[in-house]
Every structure is written in structure tokens, then in C-alpha cells.
């Protein structure tokens, strides 16, 4: 307090010298009580990087009092730790248009899109209204704004809204509004783009279907490449010869040509054929 009374212009130098040791929130509270908050604006800007709520609100309040809305917008966009809805409610009643535009921005950033759009429409800031409707992602909100422009007879804003809110508008609603209110010419660029996208999607689906059918046809017409791992034994025996089983034993060189070798058995050379058995006479 002594410094403020005796050397008020040196208060920032003092605070900068002890900036690492002071409680910034308490400094703001003390200066608000004395009514000399504007004196320490350089100090507040120096410590704003800490993003302290009371410091941000003090700086923003000083910018509003000074009608420095450019600096206010930079402060809001850079440091968001403050009561944004409270500030928007204050700024929406401000006499200067730029202050109300900042209120619209704050409502939009806090997802109060209808409030932002209504405030922008009230100030005839239609571009801000279109941006708020688009950011909402709400089809009904976008179409209500489009109907608002139709009721006004504002064909240019109608066409601009079709461009900004393109992804959220239903083509049948757009076509009906344009046809009923003689704005077909202003809706034609939108309709051409819609038809182009629909054609591109159908072409892509056709290509996928053709490719799928070609693959299916190729799989159906491909030969069977299966190769067995074994080779079946072929029956090379002559028909009617029966089964010949030959057991090879040691050959006897003394055997005649008409006698089979020892150990060789001949099984049925034909059906019903048997080897004759020699009968031994009785009495021997």
C-alpha cells in the first residue's frame, strides 16, 4: 500500500523483482480492493502464462473496460482457465458488436450452439451463425437456419449456408425449400455436388461388385490341382490265371528240367486243378 501511495508507477518493477515469491492471486485481490488493478496490467501479462483463473479474469476484465477486443480475443484463445459462460453472459449485452461476437464464440466453444446461433442472428452476423450450426453437428439446427434465410428471402445467405453446412443438410429438404421459394438457381451448385458424390459412390460399389464376381468365377473354373501322396498298385496279372504264390528256396542243380525246384509251390493254375497224389500199395 505504501508503494502504491508514494510510487505507484514503480509497483510493476517491485512485483517483477519478487515475482517468484509472491502469491499472484492475493496480489490481484489486494489491487482490486484498492481499485488500482489497471496499474499492474504489465505484471499480470507477465504471469499469465501460469494460466491462473483469477489472473485471467482480471486481465480480461481490464480489456473489456478498455474496449480492447482484439487483445481480449487473443487472451481468451490463449488462456482458457476462467468463467467462460459468465463472461459470455456479460458480453452478449455489450453495446459494441465485437464484444457480442466474442460472446458468440464463447457460447460455441462451450457447446451452447443454439445460444450462439441466436445471438449471431440477432446481430445479423450470419457467418457466425452458420459456423455455430455447423459445429453443433445437429441436422435440425442447420435446417432451421436454412429456413430462417428462406423466410428472410436472403438468397445469398441461403446459398452460403448450403456450402458451410453441406454435410448436415438433407438433399430432399434443400430441394423442397428451394423449389417452393423460387431459389432453385441458388441451390443448384449444392445439388450438382450431391449428385456427383452419389454417382461416385455408386461407381465404387459397381467396381467392387464386378471384382467380387470375377474372383468367384475364377475360383469356380479353376482345375483341381490335388495330387495324391500315394500311388495305387496296379494288378498286372492275366485274367483266369489265378493267384500265383511262389516261395523261392535253395535251388537243386541235380533236379531235372521237369521238376519244380525245392521250396516252390504252385497254387491252382486254373479253376479246379489239383496236383495228383501217388498212392502207396498196401502190405509194404
Amino acid at each position: 500500500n505504501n508503494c502504491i501511495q508514494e510510487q505507484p508507477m514503480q509497483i510493476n518493477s517491485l512485483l517483477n523483482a519478487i515475482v517468484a515469491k509472491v502469491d499472484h492471486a492475493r496480489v490481484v485481490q489486494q489491487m482490486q480492493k484498492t481499485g488500482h488493478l489497471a496499474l499492474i496490467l504489465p505484471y499480470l501479462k507477465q504471469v499469465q502464462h501460469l494460466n491462473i483463473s483469477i489472473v485471467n479474469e482480471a486481465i480480461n476484465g481490464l480489456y473489456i473496460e478498455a474496449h480492447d477486443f482484439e487483445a481480449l480475443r487473443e487472451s481468451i484463445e490463449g488462456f482458457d482457465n476462467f468463467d467462460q459462460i459468465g463472461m459470455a453472459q456479460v458480453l452478449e449485452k455489450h453495446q459494441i458488436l465485437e464484444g457480442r461476437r466474442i460472446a458468440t464464440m464463447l457460447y460455441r466453444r462451450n457447446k451452447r450452439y443454439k445460444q450462439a446461433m441466436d445471438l449471431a442472428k440477432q446481430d445479423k452476423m450470419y457467418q457466425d451463425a452458420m459456423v455455430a450450426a455447423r459445429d453443433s453437428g445437429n441436422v435440425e439446427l442447420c435446417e432451421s437456419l436454412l429456413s430462417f434465410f428462406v423466410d428472410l428471402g436472403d438468397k445469398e445467405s441461403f446459398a452460403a449456408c448450403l456450402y458451410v453446412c453441406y454435410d448436415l443438410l438433407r438433399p430432399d429438404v434443400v430441394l423442397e425449400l428451394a423449389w417452393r421459394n423460387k431459389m432453385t438457381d441458388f441451390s443448384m451448385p449444392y445439388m450438382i455436388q450431391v449428385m456427383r458424390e452419389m454417382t461416385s459412390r455408386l461407381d465404387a460399389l459397381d467396381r467392387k461388385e464386378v471384382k467380387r464376381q470375377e474372383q468367384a468365377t475364377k475360383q469356380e473354373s479353376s482345375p483341381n490341382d490335388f495330387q495324391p501322396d500315394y500311388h495305387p498298385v496296379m494288378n498286372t496279372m492275366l485274367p483266369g490265371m489265378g493267384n500265383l504264390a511262389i516261395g523261392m528256396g535253395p535251388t537243386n542243380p541235380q533236379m531235372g528240367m521237369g521238376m519244380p525246384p525245392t521250396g516252390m509251390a504252385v497254387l491252382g493254375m486254373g479253376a479246379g486243378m489239383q496236383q495228383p497224389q501217388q498212392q502207396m500199395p498196401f502190405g509194404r
Side-chain angles (χ1 to χ4, degrees), residues 252 254-262 264 266:
N252 190 347
Q254 297 179 357
M255 288 185 175
M257 296 298 292
M259 298 295 294
T262 305
M264 179 180 295
V266 179

Side-chain angles (χ1 to χ4, degrees), residues 137-209:
N138 189 303
V139 174
E140 288 74 16
L141 202 63
C142 293
E143 290 179 352
S144 68
L145 181 61
L146 197 65
S147 298
F148 171 77
F149 293 135
V150 169
D151 294 338
L152 287 180
D154 191 342
K155 298 178 180 180
E156 289 77 10
S157 296
F158 176 82
C161 187
L162 293 177
Y163 174 78
V164 175
C165 303
Y166 177 85
D167 294 328
L168 298 170
L169 295 172
R170 292 174 291 187
D172 59 320
V173 174
V174 173
L175 186 59
E176 182 179 358
L177 284 173
W179 175 63
R180 287 180 177 273
N181 296 277
K182 299 181 180 179
M183 294 185 179
T184 306
D185 291 345
F186 291 87
S187 68
M188 194 53 62
Y190 167 85
M191 296 306 301
I192 291 173
Q193 183 63 27
V194 168
M195 294 301 295
R196 175 60 180 171
E197 287 189 0
M198 291 178 62
T199 303
S200 299
R201 291 178 182 179
L202 290 174
D203 290 343
L205 289 174
D206 287 342
R207 287 193 295 270
K208 287 183 179 180
E209 181 63 20

Side-chain angles (χ1 to χ4, degrees), residues 123-143:
D123 291 326
K124 297 184 179 181
M125 301 303 299
Y126 296 143
Q127 183 178 358
D128 293 345
M130 296 174 199
V131 172
R134 179 199 63 194
D135 292 349
S136 70
N138 189 303
V139 174
E140 288 74 16
L141 202 63
C142 293
E143 290 179 352

Side-chain angles (χ1 to χ4, degrees), residues 228-233:
D229 294 334
Y230 64 93
H231 299 281
V233 178

